């Protein structure tokens, strides 16, 4: 009985509650720790990174991932971004961003991509060893062989011959001067002796320089070449001067001591052999030209922030200003917030150029006019000529591993021949523009059937081409110019370019509801809808625009085997018209009055880009006035971001469409979107992505369910 009373006492009940509470706490801690350990173990074993931005800012593009995953040779990425104790914040951000990017490449294919970081300001031994490693690459080792041979011939042969002649002649003259009593002869020979001794000292100094350049940690054979050319040229010049002087002495001095006369008469025989040898060696050295490896090393300065992409055979330096160009090209200085990061675009381009040997040619077919790439029009005084209208686009295509040429159909019957021959040629057929009435005629007159047949003939039975088919006013403005390739496109592809109609967008007239107005921007076509075609599938969030577009129509009765897909179109909305006769609107536009759609004008939707396939042939047709020119595709504008107002591409979708079309025409769909630059104007969290939905589900359901599960386990164990 006493025992039962003790068990039911308040002291016993208090101890029991404490024990239960303590047990609950311990169980909760154990369960929580177990969940943490298990989650960490799972994350370690199944490490997954998720990029939630709509522009894939924190991940590689699909094209880059395919390229890197499919590598059949080692690719090494070496970052030479410097680090110091007194560096500013921007330098650390540049370096960290580059390190993050390189880790993405290595993670994509760890067995084929190696990355390394070298601090060139402090890791001097590592930098020297790295330069030696680059020198051993096949392309540079083969390149330096003739330079090494040049240096070896100097050290093993020519240096001894030069010193032997200079020293021997100088000693011989010293003996003659010392023994002769003819003061005039002493003066004459003394001048020759001084010249030989000066040249001997110059050769000694040059030899020290050459040995240092050749035997140093980083041999600079290009500089050695220049040094030897200077050395040989100086020796030859002095020896020839001595020969000329001795010839004068023989004429002017009718009587000379025998020893003096013997010397003057012997120099020709003594000097000619060496002069001939040095002249031949100088010609050989000059014929070597510049050394590519020296140019590469010069880009690896201690504060260059360079990136080197290399394989076992060759290497390419990607400069800081290529990866981090200023958002405003006119800016003298720009910090981190005023630069655009083009890291993936440039690194992937370098990998592409180093690992893909076969190249495809892109030939722009134009009709007369200025060169598309070289400067043609005079610029500002003192600034030379302006670059051609497609100069920057050409550089971008070369970065994408294309060979780029232009073909003036007005003056050349056939496209230019390329060496080495490309594996395929893709034509970019620009809209021909005839000279205005009374203006300077083209060399072949206006565009005609002959020129059209040249282009169509070059395309062949299995064409690969992009046709640029914008609206163009006629010679007198009233009747638009018909698109000259419309017949070919209609007959062979079932594609009709309605060049008698220009697409424009009328805007609400200010202060007058229901009324419309036309302004300068009305002729700019944008706000496209896109299909799921491979060319434009990755164009999400990419702003694109074209001007003076005319509708593209797909015929319902196409030739057998021809498949045509829409790429981009403008949906029918209020104010979107296809105008056939703009003169009906001109009066109101000039006077600033409202306008209304005229009878016969279309209302849309309007297709502005299509892609066609027929057997091995492929074409893309895009409507607009020069939509892929530097002026339009690479136009820049201001954008308000979290970092303030920055300069961005106004029409990045144009570049996307152009380069993706070329990859599609080249049957390289795996390279679509490869290394595309990030458009910071469209960076946003993609709420519709599968990863985002998983994260939301885990946050809203997973964690609460885990907590309930843990509580349920504790409750169950207590009930037991």
């Amino acid at each position: 009985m006493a025992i039962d009373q003790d068990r039911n006492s308040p002291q016993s009940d208090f101890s029991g509650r404490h024990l239960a509470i303590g047990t609950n706490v311990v169980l909760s801690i154990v369960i929580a720790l177990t969940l943490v350990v298990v989650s960490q173990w799972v994350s370690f074993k199944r490490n997954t990174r998720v990029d939630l931005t709509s522009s894939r800012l924190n991940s590689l593009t699909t094209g880059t991932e395919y390229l890197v995953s499919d590598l059949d040779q080692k690719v090494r990425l070496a970052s030479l971004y410097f680090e110091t104790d007194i560096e500013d914040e921007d330098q650390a951000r540049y370096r960290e961003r580059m390190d993050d990017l390189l880790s993405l490449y290595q993670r994509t294919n760890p067995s084929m991509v190696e990355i390394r970081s070298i601090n060139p300001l402090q890791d001097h031994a590592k930098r020297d060893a790295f330069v030696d490693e680059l020198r051993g690459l096949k392309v540079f080792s083969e390149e330096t062989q003739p330079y090494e041979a040049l240096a070896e011939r100097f050290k093993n042969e020519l240096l001894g011959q030069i010193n032997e002649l200079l020293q021997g002649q100088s000693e011989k003259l010293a003996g003659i001067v010392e023994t002769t009593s003819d003061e005039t002869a002493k003066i004459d020979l003394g001048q020759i002796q001084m010249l030989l001794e000066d040249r001997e000292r110059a050769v000694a100094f040059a030899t020290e320089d050459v040995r240092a350049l050749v035997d140093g940690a980083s041999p600079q054979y290009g500089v050695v070449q220049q040094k030897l050319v200077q050395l040989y040229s100086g020796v030859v010049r002095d020896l020839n001067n001595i020969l000329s002087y001795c010839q004068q002495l023989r004429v002017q001095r009718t009587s000379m001591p025998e020893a003096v006369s013997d010397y003057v008469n012997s120099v020709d025989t003594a000097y000619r052999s060496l002069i001939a040898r040095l002249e031949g060696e100088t010609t050989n050295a000059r014929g070597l030209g510049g050394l590519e490896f020296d140019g590469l090393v010069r880009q690896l300065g201690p504060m260059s922030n360079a990136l080197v992409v290399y394989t076992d055979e060759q290497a390419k330096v990607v400069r800081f200003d290529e990866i981090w160009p200023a958002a405003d090209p006119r800016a003298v200085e720009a910090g981190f917030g005023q630069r655009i990061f083009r890291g993936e675009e440039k690194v992937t381009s370098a990998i592409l150029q180093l690992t893909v040997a076969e190249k495809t040619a892109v030939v722009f077919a134009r009709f007369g006019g200025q060169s598309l790439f070289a400067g043609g029009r005079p610029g500002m005084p003192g600034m030379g000529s302006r670059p051609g209208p497609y100069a920057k686009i050409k550089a971008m295509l070369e970065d994408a591993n294309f060979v780029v040429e232009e073909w003036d159909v007005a003056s050349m019957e056939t496209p230019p021949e390329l060496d080495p021959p490309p594996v395929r040629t893709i034509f970019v057929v620009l809209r021909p523009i005839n000279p205005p009435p009374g203006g300077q005629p083209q060399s072949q007159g206006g565009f005609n059937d002959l020129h059209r047949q040249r282009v169509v003939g070059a395309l062949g039975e299995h064409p690969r081409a992009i046709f640029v088919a914008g609206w163009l006013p006629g010679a007198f403005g009233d009747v638009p110019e018909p698109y000259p390739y419309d017949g070919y496109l209609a007959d062979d592809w079932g594609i009709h370019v309605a060049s008698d109609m220009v697409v424009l967008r009328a805007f609400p007239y200010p202060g007058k509801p229901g009324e419309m107005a036309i302004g300068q921007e009305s002729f700019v076509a944008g706000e496209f809808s896109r299909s799921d075609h491979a060319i434009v599938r990755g164009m999400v969030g990419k702003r694109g625009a074209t001007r003076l577009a005319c509708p593209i129509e797909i015929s319902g009765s196409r030739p057998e085997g021809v498949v045509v897909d829409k790429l981009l179109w403008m949906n029918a909305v209020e104010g979107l018209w296809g105008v056939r006769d703009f003169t009906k609107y001109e009066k109101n536009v000039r006077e600033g009055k409202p306008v209304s759609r005229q009878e016969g004008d279309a209302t849309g939707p309007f297709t502005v880009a299509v892609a066609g396939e027929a057997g091995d042939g492929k074409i893309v047709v895009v409507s607009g006035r020069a939509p892929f020119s530097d002026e339009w595709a690479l136009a820049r504008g201001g954008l308000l971001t979290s970092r303030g107002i920055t300069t961005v591409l106004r029409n990045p979708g144009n570049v996307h469409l152009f380069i993706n079309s070329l990859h599609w025409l080249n049957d390289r769909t795996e390279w679509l979107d490869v290394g595309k630059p990030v458009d910071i104007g469209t960076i946003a969290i993609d709420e519709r992505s599968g990863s985002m939905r998983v994260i939301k589900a885990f946050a809203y359901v997973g964690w609460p369910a885990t907590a309930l599960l843990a509580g349920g386990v504790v409750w169950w164990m207590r009930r037991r």
Side-chain angles (χ1 to χ4, degrees):
M1 189 70 179
I3 295 175
D4 292 338
Q5 289 178 348
D6 186 57
R7 286 179 177 176
N8 295 325
S9 67
Q11 180 67 30
S12 176
D13 186 55
F14 179 77
S15 299
R17 287 199 304 271
H18 267 268
L19 179 61
I21 292 172
T23 302
N24 288 344
V25 171
V26 171
L27 284 174
S28 298
I29 293 174
V30 169
I31 292 172
L33 289 175
T34 301
L35 289 173
V36 170
V37 171
V38 170
S39 63
Q40 290 294 319
W41 180 82
V42 171
S43 66
F44 179 78
K45 289 295 185 180
R46 301 183 62 85
N47 186 12
T48 301
R49 293 167 59 98
V50 178
D51 186 0
L52 300 178
T53 60
S54 59
S55 297
R56 293 177 59 85
L57 174 64
N58 300 310
S59 57
L60 300 178
T61 58
T62 304
T64 294
E65 288 180 344
Y66 185 93
L67 174 67
V68 175
S69 299
D70 199 43
L71 289 172
D72 59 359
Q73 57 181 302
K74 285 274 189 181
V75 171
R76 300 170 180 86
L77 310 174
S79 170
L80 276 72
Y81 279 54
F82 69 87
E83 181 177 3
T84 69
D85 296 334
I86 59 173
E87 68 183 19
D88 58 21
E89 181 182 357
D90 283 355
Q91 176 60 24
R93 297 172 74 181
Y94 293 136
R95 187 175 57 252
E96 291 168 4
R97 186 68 179 275
M98 179 54 62
D99 290 343
D100 289 344
L101 176 67
L102 299 189
S103 68
L104 291 176
Y105 280 90
Q106 186 181 45
R107 187 177 294 111
T108 302
N109 192 346
S111 63
M112 285 296 179
V113 177
E114 297 178 1
I115 62 175
R116 64 193 299 188
S117 295
I118 299 173
N119 183 1
L121 276 179
Q122 298 177 355
D123 300 335
H124 302 295
K126 287 184 178 179
R127 180 188 178 277
D128 292 342
F130 176 61
V131 171
D132 285 339
E133 181 183 356
L134 294 179
R135 183 181 295 104
L137 300 182
K138 182 179 179 181
V139 63
F140 298 132
S141 61
E142 292 177 352
E143 179 191 41
T144 58
Q145 287 178 3
Y147 293 83
E148 294 174 356
L150 181 72
E152 288 300 313
R153 287 196 298 273
F154 167 72
K155 291 190 298 182
N156 299 332
E157 302 176 26
L158 291 171
L159 177 60
Q161 296 178 19
I162 293 171
N163 284 333
E164 181 181 0
L165 177 67
L166 296 178
Q167 293 172 5
Q169 292 293 304
S170 182
E171 292 173 358
K172 185 175 182 180
L173 286 171
I176 296 174
V177 169
E178 185 177 349
T179 57
T180 185
S181 58
D182 189 326
E183 294 300 324
T184 301
K186 286 185 178 183
I187 295 174
D188 293 337
L189 298 184
Q191 293 180 7
I192 298 175
Q193 184 181 2
M194 289 178 57
L195 186 61
L196 290 172
E197 290 174 349
D198 288 345
R199 178 50 57 188
E200 190 176 349
R201 285 190 291 271
V203 169
F205 289 137
T207 301
E208 291 180 6
D209 291 342
V210 170
R211 291 188 187 280
L213 291 168
V214 172
D215 300 333
S218 301
Q220 302 179 46
Y221 289 106
V223 182
V224 170
Q225 171 205 22
Q226 298 172 7
K227 289 281 186 182
L228 292 180
V229 167
Q230 294 173 359
L231 187 154
Y232 295 155
S233 298
V235 173
V236 169
R237 182 176 61 253
D238 286 351
L239 295 182
N240 279 326
N241 288 338
I242 293 174
L243 291 178
S244 298
Y245 185 65
C246 289
Q247 177 65 26
Q248 294 177 10
L249 292 180
R250 285 195 293 269
V251 174
Q252 296 173 1
R253 304 282 191 267
T254 55
S255 61
M256 292 182 290
E258 182 178 358
V260 175
S261 178
D262 290 343
Y263 177 80
V264 170
N265 291 324
S266 67
V267 292
D268 191 76
T269 302
Y271 291 2
R272 287 299 180 189
S273 176
L274 182 60
I275 289 175
R277 178 72 190 277
L278 294 181
E279 286 177 339
E281 200 68 11
T282 302
T283 301
N284 178 57
R286 285 175 172 159
L288 294 178
L291 192 61
E292 184 180 350
F293 179 74
D294 284 352
L296 182 144
V297 173
R298 281 194 293 271
Q299 299 181 71
L300 306 182
M303 300 181 70
S304 63
N305 276 349
L307 176 75
V308 183
V309 183
Y310 64 109
T311 63
D312 291 336
E313 295 190 353
Q314 51 187 329
K316 181 176 177 62
V317 176
V318 187
R319 303 190 311 273
F320 174 80
D321 61 304
E322 293 178 313
I323 293 179
W324 295 97
D328 184 356
R330 299 166 298 179
V332 178
E333 294 184 1
F336 183 86
Q338 290 78 45
R339 293 185 179 274
I340 300 172
F341 184 60
R342 308 181 75 94
E344 182 189 349
E345 178 186 0
K346 293 301 180 180
V347 174
T348 298
S349 169
I351 294 175
L352 196 60
Q353 295 178 51
L354 293 176
T355 60
V356 181
E358 296 181 341
K359 294 184 181 294
T360 294
V362 176
V363 176
F364 286 74
R366 62 177 172 88
F367 179 70
Q370 72 173 98
S371 169
L372 300 177
F373 310 132
R377 295 174 295 173
M380 296 295 290
M383 297 183 64
S385 61
R386 300 176 184 176
Y390 288 81
K392 294 180 181 178
I393 287 293
K394 177 177 184 287
M396 293 186 69
L397 295 184
E398 290 172 340
D399 279 349
N401 211 37
F402 291 106
V403 177
V404 186
E405 278 292 346
E406 62 179 319
W407 172 26
D408 181 6
V409 180
S411 59
M412 300 174 61
E413 294 185 4
T414 59
E417 293 187 4
L418 301 176
D419 186 23
V423 294
R424 172 181 284 127
T425 299
I426 300 173
F427 292 90
V428 180
V429 184
L430 303 181
R431 199 197 201 291
I433 299 178
N434 288 320
Q440 292 295 326
Q442 302 282 4
S443 59
Q444 301 294 328
F447 189 87
N448 55 43
D449 287 339
L450 173 64
H451 304 116
R452 178 168 41 252
Q453 288 304 319
R454 287 178 182 175
V455 175
V456 173
L459 295 179
E461 295 182 0
H462 308 292
R464 300 293 175 111
I466 298 176
F467 289 86
V468 179
W471 182 85
L472 186 67
F476 300 98
D478 295 335
V479 180
E481 287 275 357
Y483 182 59
Y485 296 103
D486 188 52
Y488 165 75
L489 294 177
D491 294 342
D492 288 31
W493 296 91
I495 299 172
H496 169 56
V497 177
S499 55
D500 62 335
M501 187 188 308
V502 61
V503 176
L504 63 80
R505 178 73 181 272
F507 299 96
Y509 194 91
K512 294 186 178 182
E515 301 285 354
M516 307 300 287
I518 294 177
Q520 187 175 3
E521 291 299 314
S522 294
F523 294 93
V524 176
E527 300 179 6
F528 302 126
S529 295
R530 61 176 180 83
S531 68
D532 193 45
H533 194 282
I535 293 177
V536 294
R537 188 176 300 142
M539 202 172 169
V540 179
K542 288 287 182 182
R543 300 182 306 275
T546 184
R547 54 185 170 174
L548 296 176
C550 48
I552 300 174
E553 301 171 357
I554 302 175
S555 172
S557 56
R558 295 184 295 275
E560 184 179 356
V562 174
V563 178
V564 180
D565 296 309
K566 289 196 299 183
L567 299 179
L568 301 174
W569 65 90
M570 302 177 69
N571 290 315
V573 296
E574 184 181 9
L576 182 64
W577 305 333
V579 175
R580 288 186 167 85
D581 186 0
F582 188 72
T583 59
K584 297 178 181 179
Y585 300 86
E586 282 184 334
K587 184 174 184 298
N588 283 18
V589 172
R590 284 197 304 268
E591 297 175 358
K593 296 180 179 179
V595 298
S596 58
R597 184 174 63 86
Q598 298 296 305
E599 184 178 356
D601 290 343
T603 57
F606 300 118
T607 300
V608 296
V610 300
E613 293 184 75
D616 289 335
K618 289 183 177 181
I619 66 167
V620 173
V621 183
V622 180
S623 181
R625 176 74 68 82
F628 306 128
S629 65
D630 296 351
E631 179 185 8
W632 197 250
L634 302 179
R636 292 186 174 274
L639 179 71
L640 182 61
T641 68
S642 59
R643 299 179 297 181
I645 297 178
T646 188
T647 304
V648 298
L649 290 178
R650 292 176 57 188
N651 303 312
N654 292 37
V655 179
H656 176 102
L657 174 64
F658 188 43
I659 295 183
N660 267 13
S661 294
L662 292 173
H663 284 314
W664 180 76
L665 292 168
N666 194 32
D667 294 336
R668 287 288 193 175
T669 53
E670 68 272 16
W671 290 352
L672 296 176
D673 305 324
V674 61
K676 66 181 180 183
V678 171
D679 177 15
I680 65 173
T682 60
I683 293 175
I685 299 299
D686 188 359
E687 300 286 348
R688 298 174 299 174
S689 69
S691 299
M692 191 63 188
R693 287 195 290 267
V694 170
I695 291 175
K696 284 183 175 181
F698 190 73
Y700 297 154
V701 179
W703 275 120
T706 302
L708 289 174
L709 176 63
V713 171
V714 172
W715 175 83
W716 177 76
M717 295 186 69
R718 287 189 60 192
R719 293 290 294 175
R720 294 182 61 190

